[in-house]
Amino acid sequence: VLQKIKLSDGVLNLKVDESDNLNYDIFRKSDGEGARLQLKNIVLRNIRIQYVNRKSDVHIYSFTPKSTLSAFIQRKTFDFKISTEMLISRLQVKDVTYVNNRSFRSDGNLYVRNNTYQFRNFEVALDDLNFLFSLK
């Protein structure tokens, strides 16, 4: 359990290579399926976030003046509480750019397991377009 992490004025590079290896996988193969990590309060201030997935050809470049999150991570299962404000400078999948220089806000819970994403009471805004996702 990590109680608090603060990151300021930096770059966060998240990468997935062609063989599906992650540069942000914090568990060793010897840790087994029971390995887990709880992050109680992560604060990002003035951070550039770059996500590049070479296997699926996804590129996301953004900047957050302020984001907070907490997470429970167990192998390939993630349970996040996220609150973020950011500028997405580019979101591109293959040769198609979907977002270019747009403001983005989100607040809510995101659960990820085996590459399946569940949004729970999750509010999202892209510029002035607002969405609310919830599970029943």
Side-chain angles (χ1 to χ4, degrees):
V1 175
L2 294 173
Q3 295 295 328
K4 190 167 198 170
I5 297 173
K6 286 185 179 181
L7 302 172
S8 299
D9 306 312
V11 179
L12 182 59
N13 287 301
L14 305 170
K15 297 180 182 181
V16 180
D17 70 14
E18 293 85 357
S19 300
D20 214 20
N21 296 308
L22 317 173
N23 76 336
Y24 52 92
D25 188 356
I26 58 172
F27 298 112
R28 299 177 304 234
K29 290 181 180 164
S30 62
D31 288 337
E33 290 301 314
R36 60 183 176 210
L37 175 65
Q38 186 173 2
L39 307 169
K40 295 232 175 168
N41 188 10
I42 300 173
V43 178
L44 306 176
R45 294 213 190 272
N46 300 319
I47 299 291
R48 281 188 306 135
I49 303 169
Q50 301 175 17
Y51 174 80
V52 176
N53 186 320
R54 297 207 186 282
K55 184 174 183 180
S56 58
D57 201 11
V58 173
H59 302 264
I60 303 171
Y61 302 98
S62 62
F63 172 80
T64 180
K66 181 182 178 189
S67 291
T68 59
L69 68 97
S70 59
F72 180 78
I73 303 166
Q74 185 166 356
R75 277 288 171 201
K76 294 193 178 196
T77 302
F78 306 89
D79 196 355
F80 294 105
K81 168 74 174 126
I82 302 169
S83 179
T84 188
E85 298 173 14
M86 64 178 48
L87 172 69
I88 300 175
S89 53
R90 183 170 50 133
L91 186 156
Q92 179 179 329
V93 179
K94 301 194 186 306
D95 294 330
V96 179
T97 299
Y98 291 96
V99 177
N100 211 3
N101 294 319
R102 301 283 185 205
S103 64
F104 175 83
R105 291 184 327 274
S106 68
D107 188 49
N109 296 325
L110 171 62
Y111 181 76
V112 182
R113 182 175 183 161
N114 298 325
N115 293 322
T116 300
Y117 297 78
Q118 292 181 352
F119 296 95
R120 299 174 179 161
N121 299 319
F122 203 81
E123 296 180 33
V124 173
L126 185 62
D127 288 334
D128 292 325
L129 188 58
N130 298 301
F131 300 91
L132 174 62
F133 301 93
S134 62
L135 282 177
K136 296 203 181 227

